[in-house]
């Protein structure tokens, strides 16, 4: 293994004894987790934004999106108004702790603050501040992203795979015809969504900002634990079983995806009588179902070759290793959201909703799948575990040539 396999300013890690004597040694160069300094910066930004939003809620209770019933799990236990003050104090504590970690990353006192404060931030904003609006907000955002991703992927496939151009063109024509025929229903669907957002402009930030804070702090705590070496044995075990965890996680959105897909049939499930469903409502079901199917596909990408190397239809970037953070960060955020939303769903909606949208096993399974993916990309399953104190990324291990 030569020094040119990793940028000069980044650490190198060998793949284990005898790595240099094997043809695939260069492919086993691994990297440490994302730098904790970047995560501390993300935690600072998210905590500050959440604190600013909560400050607005305290100053103007009439716009407080956390006060209505069901918006916060914590409001089921204590009055919502004082709880918002407690959350504001918690966010400000996160600002101080993350700023200290950024200003003096090597200071022992600042380092000792990260884990306890991080756990507090995750519990406060990942569980207590979440409620009935968490999963619907995430579902709508994903359903909005599906058409954009579909268009982008279609363009890439059209450019790089000539054999697929005819069937792709047929799909585009059918989609265009469907939009033209149902343009009134599409307009009603879009109008209902935009009207709801305009009526409650703080509803979406009230879900996303606390979630971002919890996710940033969860990542920072995990990286600190990784650096201290306390996750070595657990990471090796999770990495060895990552395929099982990933398959289980991919089953999580399946009940929801199938139920929403039935809205396009004469036998809609969880939607009331079929004769009462307008075309706009059926389109809504289709969009939400498509987001769930996208989640299944992307989850399986954690164990498929294209989750490590970009596929051929990516054009000039085809064959390049997928940056680990490109999968770990979004999937980790979703895992934090699902784990946090599982408790409010059980408390507020009961087991029927939990079976329909099983966040109680989907979230932990996805977290383990992401953990195993990280361990795989960093070479843990080959006996390589980054030494404590490593905080800069090296080059990720790509998929073996036989699986490209």
């Amino acid at each position: 293994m030569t020094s040119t396999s990793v940028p000069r300013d980044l650490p190198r890690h060998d793949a284990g004894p005898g790595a240099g004597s094997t043809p695939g040694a260069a492919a086993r160069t691994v990297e440490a987790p994302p730098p904790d300094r970047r995560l501390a910066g993300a935690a600072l930004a998210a905590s500050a934004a959440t604190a600013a939003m909560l400050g607005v809620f305290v100053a103007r209770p009439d716009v407080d999106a956390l006060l209505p019933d069901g918006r916060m799990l914590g409001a089921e236990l204590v009055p919502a108004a004082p709880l918002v003050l407690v959350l504001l104090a918690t966010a400000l504590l996160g600002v101080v702790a993350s700023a200290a970690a950024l200003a003096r990353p090597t200071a022992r006192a600042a380092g000792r603050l990260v884990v306890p404060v991080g756990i507090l931030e995750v519990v406060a904003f990942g569980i207590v501040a979440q409620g009935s609006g968490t999963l619907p907000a995430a579902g709508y955002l994903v359903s909005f992203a599906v058409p954009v991703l579909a268009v982008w992927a279609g363009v890439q496939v059209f450019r790089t795979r000539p054999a697929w151009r005819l069937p792709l063109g047929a799909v585009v024509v059918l989609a265009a015809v469907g939009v033209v025929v149902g343009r009134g229903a599409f307009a009603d669907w879009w109008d209902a969504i935009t009207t709801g957002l305009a009526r409650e402009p703080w509803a979406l930030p009230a879900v996303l900002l606390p979630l971002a804070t919890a996710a940033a702090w969860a990542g920072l705590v995990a990286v600190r634990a990784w650096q201290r070496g306390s996750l070595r044995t657990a990471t090796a075990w999770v990495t060895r079983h990552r395929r099982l965890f990933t398959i289980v996680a991919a089953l999580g959105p399946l009940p929801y995806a199938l139920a929403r897909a039935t809205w396009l049939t004469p036998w809609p499930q969880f939607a009331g009588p079929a004769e009462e469903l307008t075309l706009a409502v059926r389109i809504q079901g289709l969009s939400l179902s498509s987001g769930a199917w996208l989640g299944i596909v992307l989850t399986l990408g954690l164990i498929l070759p294209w989750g490590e190397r970009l596929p051929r239809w990516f054009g000039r970037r085809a064959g390049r290793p997928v940056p680990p953070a490109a999968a770990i960060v979004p999937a980790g955020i979703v895992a934090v959201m699902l784990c946090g939303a599982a408790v409010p769903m059980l408390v507020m909606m009961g087991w029927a909703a939990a079976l329909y949208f099983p966040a109680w096993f989907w979230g932990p399974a996805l977290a383990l799948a992401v953990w195993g993916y990280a361990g795989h990309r960093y070479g843990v399953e080959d006996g390589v575990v980054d030494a404590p104190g490593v905080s800069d990324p090296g080059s990720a291990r790509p998929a073996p040539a036989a699986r490209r």
Side-chain angles (χ1 to χ4, degrees):
M1 184 180 296
T2 66
S3 60
T4 59
S5 63
V6 180
R8 183 174 55 188
D9 58 333
L10 302 177
R12 269 190 306 118
H13 307 282
D14 293 329
S21 61
T22 62
R28 293 182 177 271
T29 302
V30 297
E31 65 173 331
D36 58 346
R37 188 172 180 81
R38 296 178 188 172
L39 284 169
L44 174 60
S47 299
T50 301
M53 179 190 69
L54 293 171
V56 172
F57 290 170
V58 171
R60 294 189 57 192
D62 58 305
V63 300
D64 191 342
L66 297 176
L67 289 181
D69 292 341
R71 293 295 177 87
M72 282 194 301
L73 172 65
E76 299 291 314
L77 307 174
V78 298
L83 181 58
V84 173
L85 288 173
V86 174
L87 291 174
L88 174 58
T90 305
L92 292 174
L93 176 62
V95 171
V96 173
S98 55
L102 275 175
R104 303 188 65 184
T106 59
R108 185 170 300 179
R112 288 176 178 174
L113 277 176
V114 167
V115 173
V117 172
I119 293 174
L120 177 63
E121 300 290 322
V122 171
V123 172
F125 296 110
I127 299 177
V128 175
Q130 300 302 317
S132 59
T134 302
L135 295 177
Y140 279 111
L141 288 177
V142 173
S143 66
F144 292 158
V146 168
V148 177
L149 292 175
V151 170
W152 174 82
V155 170
Q156 298 300 318
V157 170
F158 189 86
R159 290 176 56 247
T160 59
R161 306 299 293 271
W164 292 12
R165 289 177 179 174
L166 185 58
L168 185 62
V171 171
V172 171
V173 170
L174 290 175
V177 170
V179 170
V180 171
V181 172
R183 59 186 180 276
F186 277 101
D188 292 341
W189 168 68
W190 182 253
D191 183 64
I193 293 175
T194 55
T195 301
L197 292 175
R199 185 174 58 251
E200 295 187 78
W202 287 99
L204 203 56
V207 170
L208 298 182
L209 289 181
L211 177 61
T213 301
W217 277 103
L220 185 56
V221 169
V223 168
R224 286 298 175 95
W226 182 297
Q227 292 171 349
R228 291 185 305 192
S230 56
L231 295 179
R232 293 187 179 191
T233 302
T235 300
W237 183 85
V238 171
T239 303
R240 286 196 300 271
H241 298 87
R242 68 188 187 93
R243 292 185 178 276
L244 173 62
F245 295 137
T246 304
I247 292 172
V248 173
L251 295 175
L254 189 59
Y256 183 82
L258 292 174
R260 291 301 193 194
T262 62
W263 289 19
L264 300 177
T265 72
W267 310 278
Q269 301 298 311
F270 304 98
E275 58 272 11
E276 296 180 5
L277 291 186
T278 64
L279 182 56
V281 174
R282 294 180 185 274
I283 291 173
Q284 175 186 351
L286 176 62
S287 68
L288 294 173
S289 177
S290 65
W293 290 111
L294 176 65
I296 294 173
V297 172
L298 293 180
T299 300
L300 291 175
L302 296 174
I303 57 173
L304 294 176
W306 55 264
E308 298 180 45
R309 279 196 178 275
L310 297 175
R312 286 182 293 174
W313 52 267
F314 259 73
R316 290 179 296 178
R317 292 184 174 272
R320 295 185 183 181
V322 175
I328 294 170
V329 171
I333 292 174
V334 173
V336 170
M337 177 201 69
L338 291 170
C339 290
V343 179
M345 175 168 286
L346 289 173
V347 172
M348 298 177 180
M349 304 179 190
W351 279 102
L355 294 175
Y356 172 56
F357 202 100
W360 52 275
F361 85 79
W362 181 11
L366 182 59
L368 290 169
V370 175
W371 187 357
Y373 176 86
H376 173 69
R377 295 301 303 275
Y378 302 147
V380 173
E381 63 190 351
D382 296 328
V384 179
V385 181
D386 295 303
V390 173
S391 61
D392 292 323
S395 59
R397 186 181 71 174
R403 292 189 295 162
R404 293 176 193 170

